[in-house]
Amino acid sequence: MIPALSLGFMGRFGRSASLRTFDADLRAVDLHPNLVPEAIKLAALRVLMARTAGADPSAASSRAAAELLAYCMVGAETFTAANGSQLADAVENRIDAALDVGTSSDAKLILLALHANVIQPSVVERYRLEADSR
C-alpha cells in the first residue's frame, strides 16, 4: 500500500513525514520549500516512492532528490555558491548520467522540472534539454 502524502487541511491534519523531510532537505541545500510548488514536491516524492514499491523514500534518496531539484531550479552558479563546488560537481555528474540512461529517477526529476517550467534556462541550455511536445 502506498503511504499517503498529506498536505494538511485547515491546520487540523499535519503534513506527511515524507513531505516534512523533503522540505527540510530543500532547506539544507538553500532552497526554501515555499519556492517549490506543492505539486512538484508531491510528484518528486511519487517518483522516489516508485523505486521503493510505494514505501517512504529513504533519507538519502530524499536528500539526493532535493539536491537535484534545487540545482535545476536555481542553476549552477547559485547552487555552487550555496553548497560548494564538490556537491555541485556531484549533482552535475548525476545529471550527465541521468541524461545518458534516460529512465532513472534522476532523469524523471529533471523531466519534472522541465515540464513544470521551474528549471533554470541556464540548465536547459547547458544540458541541451528540450521537452517533446508530442
Side-chain angles (χ1 to χ4, degrees):
M1 181 175 167
I2 296 176
L5 291 174
S6 172
L7 294 175
F9 180 70
M10 297 177 60
R12 305 261 305 153
F13 307 104
R15 294 170 67 79
S16 70
S18 297
L19 275 171
R20 287 193 311 269
T21 299
F22 196 59
D23 283 348
D25 292 335
L26 289 168
R27 278 189 181 95
V29 291
D30 204 39
L31 179 61
H32 197 284
N34 288 347
L35 297 175
V36 182
E38 292 296 321
I40 292 173
K41 289 188 262 189
L42 289 170
L45 287 172
R46 289 286 182 197
V47 167
L48 298 178
M49 291 168 71
R51 286 189 350 193
T52 61
D56 282 338
S58 69
S61 64
S62 178
R63 172 63 187 240
E67 291 167 356
L68 185 64
L69 194 56
Y71 182 96
C72 288
M73 289 184 69
V74 302
E77 188 175 313
T78 302
F79 187 87
T80 303
N83 298 289
S85 61
Q86 186 175 3
L87 182 56
D89 290 343
V91 172
E92 289 168 355
N93 289 336
R94 286 176 51 209
I95 292 172
D96 287 332
L99 296 177
D100 287 342
V101 174
T103 59
S104 67
S105 295
D106 283 350
K108 291 175 184 176
L109 292 171
I110 295 165
L111 190 61
L112 171 63
L114 182 64
H115 281 281
N117 204 28
V118 296
I119 196 166
Q120 274 291 318
S122 61
V123 175
V124 172
E125 183 178 319
R126 178 177 183 171
Y127 293 98
R128 296 186 196 109
L129 302 174
E130 58 185 50
D132 191 1
S133 60
R134 283 187 252 168

